Amino acid sequence: MNIAKAPQVEYRQACFADIEDIAAIEAEVFAEPYLYLMLRQLFDLHGSEWLVAEVEGAVIGYALTLEKSGRALLFTFAVAKRYQGEGYGHALLTRTLQTCRKIGAEVVYLTVRPDNRLAGNLFQRAGFEFVEHDDRYFGPGEPRDVFEYRLKGRPLDS
């Protein structure tokens, strides 16, 4: 009997060469993706704050957190569609939270489109709590649900 093994995932800090893969995942996953030029500028400013998940040499997911004064914003987070629902997002999120703790964050927060139940469910299963719904978070007609995860005094999966 031949039992297929799940691909081995490596989690690492992003490098400049990853931006193209990150942009492709953005375009695949989001209706209004960050463009390559925006991702490039974010990398120039926050390259050390990007975490990527890689399988067999290909970036399959990423997270960018921006920390200030003990609060970290999970600015953008996604897993390529063909890898969704297999635990990669949860594992990437766990590592992201571990990284936030290491850099001194006490709270991690994020926003999700209210109709993006897949993402909302992922974050709630990971322990994020719904904080508020804002009908105009990014302006008229741009609602978001705000979630946060309190790191202080809370154990994380290893």
Side-chain angles (χ1 to χ4, degrees):
M1 177 159 75
N2 184 10
I3 299 175
K5 283 188 173 180
Q8 203 59 15
V9 182
E10 178 186 349
Y11 299 92
R12 61 173 174 77
Q13 183 178 326
C15 63
F16 179 75
D18 297 326
I19 298 173
E20 200 168 309
D21 291 335
I22 291 168
I25 295 169
E26 276 277 325
E28 174 191 36
V29 172
F30 296 112
E32 296 177 21
Y34 290 113
L35 303 175
Y36 180 92
L37 74 96
M38 295 174 201
L39 296 170
R40 165 61 195 262
Q41 290 175 330
L42 284 166
F43 185 82
D44 285 347
L45 294 171
H46 304 284
S48 65
E49 298 161 74
W50 285 93
L51 180 65
V52 296
E54 182 179 74
V55 172
E56 298 172 350
V59 173
I60 66 158
Y62 58 87
L64 171 60
T65 53
L66 308 173
E67 190 273 338
K68 182 178 180 181
S69 304
R71 285 182 57 83
L73 168 64
L74 183 50
F75 186 80
T76 187
F77 176 95
V79 172
K81 285 187 178 183
R82 75 177 266 214
Y83 293 96
Q84 291 178 3
E86 305 207 12
Y88 297 111
H90 180 77
L92 179 59
L93 186 56
T94 297
R95 281 162 182 81
T96 300
L97 292 171
Q98 290 167 343
T99 300
C100 288
R101 176 174 278 155
K102 285 179 190 172
I103 62 172
E106 294 181 6
V107 175
V108 179
Y109 70 102
L110 56 89
T111 66
V112 177
R113 279 185 180 275
D115 61 354
N116 189 347
R117 293 310 319 145
L118 187 64
N121 290 338
L122 169 70
F123 296 124
Q124 287 183 308
R125 280 193 314 274
F128 280 79
E129 296 177 6
F130 175 82
V131 174
E132 69 175 325
H133 173 82
D134 186 334
D135 280 328
R136 299 171 52 92
Y137 190 88
F138 286 122
E142 292 294 332
R144 294 295 185 276
D145 290 338
V146 181
F147 294 87
E148 67 178 36
Y149 187 103
R150 298 206 170 273
L151 287 164
K152 193 170 183 170
R154 189 174 190 169
L156 290 174
D157 298 336
S158 48

